[in-house]
Amino acid sequence: MNWSELPRHVAVVGAGLAGVSACEQLRELGYDGRLTLFGAEPHVPYDRPPLSKDLLLGKQTADEIVLRKAEWYAAKDIDLRLGTPVTAIRPDEGRVELVHGTVAVDAVLLATGGRPRPLPVPGGDHPAITVLRSLDDAVVLKDRLAPGVRLGVIGAGLIGAEVAASATVLGCQATLIDPAPLPLEHVVGAEIADLLHSQHRANGVRVLVGAVASVEDLGGAIRLHLADSNETVDCDVVVVGVGIVSDDSLAAAAGVAVNRGVLVDTAQRSSHPRIFAAGDAARPTGPDGPLPNVEHWESALHEGKAAAAAIIGAPEPVRPVSRFWSDRYGWHLEVVGEFRGEVVLRGELGGESFAAFALVDGKCVGAVAVNRPSEMKAARRLIERGLPVRAGHLADESVDLRSLVTGNRTPAGGPR
Ligand SMILES: Cc1cc2nc3c(=O)[nH]c(=O)nc-3n(C[C@H](O)[C@H](O)[C@H](O)COP(=O)(O)OP(=O)(O)OC[C@H]3O[C@@H](n4cnc5c(N)ncnc54)[C@H](O)[C@@H]3O)c2cc1C
């Protein structure tokens, strides 16, 4: 590494997981220049997954979900500027603009995350309609969820499903509405998607397949009208969870290439040599153009680290196999890699815990599990190392999957 060519001042815009991960990695890699982390929110950077789970359920407080304690930033000589949104980046002039003033910088990491997609229907901006992205959103929602409250959840993806599950635990009467009969089918296959979705009904949630066409103000409550049917849902509170829009606005205004996210290469480099992007704000590109956006916790963590390495010219870290998780009704769902090819089941589908592995050419390429974290760790290693595996071993509960990774058991060949 040529230390004389290192940026003297790195600005990280966005104090979420990707931004904090980048700052931490920059210091880990020995970068000792000036490092400023700008956060639009007033809070010490916090973790988002608990917002729809333990924070909503009152099992964790806001103080308990911080990514790092406030003192950590000072100890690492990171200038944490909370409540300080960056309003523009001027990469060719080497500065970023704030509401009051400008700051000279040599490299900028955009880790601005995403904004909840609004509900694009008449009445969709009704004040009783909420979203769940930030700690402030979660505090407002938590305050509104009480026993007997009629909650409408629009969108049965990861966040919608978790909100419905948490609200049910809190005694609300939840109705979950999505046009897709089997949300997550494209990720975990029809059978597991069906099982996951059926959990809502089994736990007393009313599940409707359809799109919300309009929102009517009932004065104190609201009525959701579904498209192509006479179905209506009266609600006291509505949460919209229909995805996010990657926040690429600073990059777009600066002429950096964007396409529903800041376009980056595998090292998180944008089209401008001084600008990098990571986390939900970034969109990876492959040889054939932009790839799907990845909006999960682990990718934000990794991309922050990868961006840190790229900023100071350190080697690109190995990209781990993708992983995300979701919690609902006591089920800890984990998904790693890609779920395609031959499916091998371990345990009883729908039982207390089970795992399903996806095999292509005798190698594991993906896995889905409920309440089987250690087996998912093993699956991840099998995928990362491209080890051949026998379907029979994966299905056999008496086989410790770790042994397939370490090679203490012959993992392939022989009868299935
Ligand atoms: C409720 C909820 C539950 C989730 N649960 C899971 C889960 O169970 N499993 C999982 O894998 N993933 C989960 N996720 C997704 C995961 O949390 C995100 O992918 C991750 O937080 C993305 O991190 P990020 O740093 O890219 O963006 P963010 O965490 O959104 O951080 C971006 C920050 O940048 C700030 N910012 C934006 N613009 C500016 C600006 N101009 N200047 C300064 N600051 C700015 C924003 O205010 C924000 O604080 C969940 C997300 C949510 C919202």
Side-chain angles (χ1 to χ4, degrees), residues 14 16-18 40-41 48-49 53 86 111-113 133 279-280 296-297 325:
L17 177 63
E41 295 182 65
R48 289 185 202 274
K53 310 173 184 75
V86 167
T112 44
R133 178 73 194 176
D280 289 0
H296 299 309
W297 193 94
W325 77 93

Side-chain angles (χ1 to χ4, degrees), residues 112-118 133 242-249 259-262 280-282 293 295:
T112 44
R115 291 185 300 268
R117 197 178 290 282
R133 178 73 194 176
V242 294
I244 63 165
V245 179
S246 297
D247 191 344
D248 59 13
S249 52
N259 179 350
R260 288 184 282 130
V262 185
D280 289 0
N293 293 36
E295 292 145 3

